[in-house]
Amino acid sequence: MRWVQRRVDYVVVILPFEVELYRRAGVPCAFVGHPLLDEVAPSYDRDRLRATYGLPREACVIGLLPGSRAGEVRALLPVMLEAARLLQGQGRSLKVILAVAETVDPDEIKRLCEGSGLDVRLVARDPNGVMAAADVLFIASGTATLQAAIIGTPMVIVYKLPWLTYLLARLLVRVHSIGLANLVAGRPFIPELIQHQATPARLAEEARRILDDASYRERMRTEMARVRSLLGPPGASERAAAMVLQQLDRAEARV
């Protein structure tokens, strides 16, 4: 923040809680909304999406989003797959669908899935469709958690770091959550399983609560709708561009 104070004339932010941070530092700042609202449709036809991906209309569908980096996938996908297997072993008829990020090796994901004993539908280039088609998501912490909240699908956030990185983060970071949706909401309404808590048993337990407790599920959806409203209307990129032009015009007028 001190670096910004010395060098930056004006800051445009896409997360509402950032405004207060810059205001306290005396840095002029404007919130323009989040560009994800231009990438996510106002609503999705779940039946059509399930038909597209060969999923039965009435099935219980678990969506997996294990991240966009190879290290994340190796650390998280086995945990997610084992959690889904545990749920299936409890008499549930489950279908599993996985969003394959363009930045990871699809062959490695195939190998991990083939060793799980589950029939996993792999979907490339359509994370929004995977999120909207699922009943519950197992999702790596990151921008995708905010994306899923905008779409409105209940989820469990899961993440693992190398232990040294985790210990350093614990020393330096002072926030109640790591999930962006929880941070925007100002309270942890989506369960987060971090580091030693990120086990298949805990993940399956949280998923069972979402699937079996209708009131809990609806409270989560209500809070996700509130998060969507806090992110402002679509058009963030246009507003950001207009703000930049406005600041340039003011700078020219001062010359």
Side-chain angles (χ1 to χ4, degrees), residues 204-223:
E205 179 185 345
E206 293 292 347
R208 275 196 304 273
R209 185 181 179 196
I210 291 171
L211 293 169
D212 295 342
D213 188 336
S215 62
Y216 174 64
R217 192 168 60 243
E218 288 310 308
R219 285 196 304 272
M220 190 181 292
R221 286 200 177 109
T222 298
E223 196 69 12

Side-chain angles (χ1 to χ4, degrees), residues 4-252:
V4 171
Q5 286 171 325
R6 291 194 300 269
R7 294 170 174 84
V8 174
D9 295 310
Y10 201 87
V11 177
V12 174
V13 298
I14 60 174
L15 294 167
F17 59 79
E18 293 177 302
V19 175
E20 178 61 17
L21 300 175
Y22 287 105
R23 187 197 66 76
R24 288 204 305 262
V27 180
C29 175
F31 169 63
V32 294
H34 203 289
L36 273 177
L37 290 164
D38 294 310
E39 299 178 21
V40 175
S43 63
Y44 288 86
D45 185 335
R46 193 171 76 164
D47 290 347
R48 184 186 63 78
L49 285 168
R50 289 191 172 192
T52 298
Y53 294 125
L55 299 167
R57 193 171 110 178
E58 300 304 323
C60 178
V61 177
I62 305 293
L64 309 183
L65 290 100
S68 58
R69 294 188 285 272
E72 289 176 330
V73 171
R74 292 185 196 116
L76 301 178
L77 184 53
V79 175
M80 295 177 175
L81 290 167
E82 179 61 15
R85 196 186 65 77
L86 288 174
L87 288 169
Q88 194 170 62
Q90 293 163 353
R92 295 178 186 270
S93 177
L94 293 181
K95 298 294 180 182
V96 181
I97 185 170
L98 189 155
V100 181
E102 295 180 16
T103 50
V104 299
D105 180 4
D107 291 332
E108 183 170 13
I109 287 181
K110 278 182 188 175
R111 285 194 297 272
L112 289 169
C113 290
E114 285 168 359
S116 71
L118 295 167
D119 177 18
V120 183
R121 309 292 169 90
L122 303 182
V123 176
R125 295 183 296 279
D126 189 17
N128 291 351
V130 170
M131 293 176 186
D135 292 295
V136 63
L137 301 170
F138 297 163
I139 188 164
S141 178
T143 303
T145 65
L146 198 57
Q147 201 169 339
I150 293 169
I151 289 170
T153 304
M155 72 187 101
V156 185
I157 297 170
V158 58
Y159 209 69
K160 285 186 174 184
L161 290 164
W163 272 103
L164 181 57
T165 305
Y166 173 73
L167 292 172
L168 287 171
R170 285 292 302 270
L171 290 172
L172 296 171
V173 177
R174 295 288 184 270
V175 289
H176 59 73
S177 302
I178 67 166
L180 274 174
N182 285 334
L183 290 169
V184 172
R187 53 182 177 268
F189 72 97
I190 297 167
E192 298 182 355
L193 302 179
I194 311 303
Q195 217 62 13
H196 61 278
Q197 296 179 330
T199 66
R202 283 293 311 279
L203 191 50
E205 179 185 345
E206 293 292 347
R208 275 196 304 273
R209 185 181 179 196
I210 291 171
L211 293 169
D212 295 342
D213 188 336
S215 62
Y216 174 64
R217 192 168 60 243
E218 288 310 308
R219 285 196 304 272
M220 190 181 292
R221 286 200 177 109
T222 298
E223 196 69 12
M224 286 191 286
R226 188 175 77 87
V227 166
R228 181 170 183 151
S229 70
L230 290 171
L231 294 174
S237 297
E238 290 183 5
R239 287 191 292 275
M243 197 74 68
V244 171
L245 291 173
Q246 185 182 76
Q247 294 303 312
L248 288 172
D249 288 342
R250 288 178 180 173
E252 283 186 5

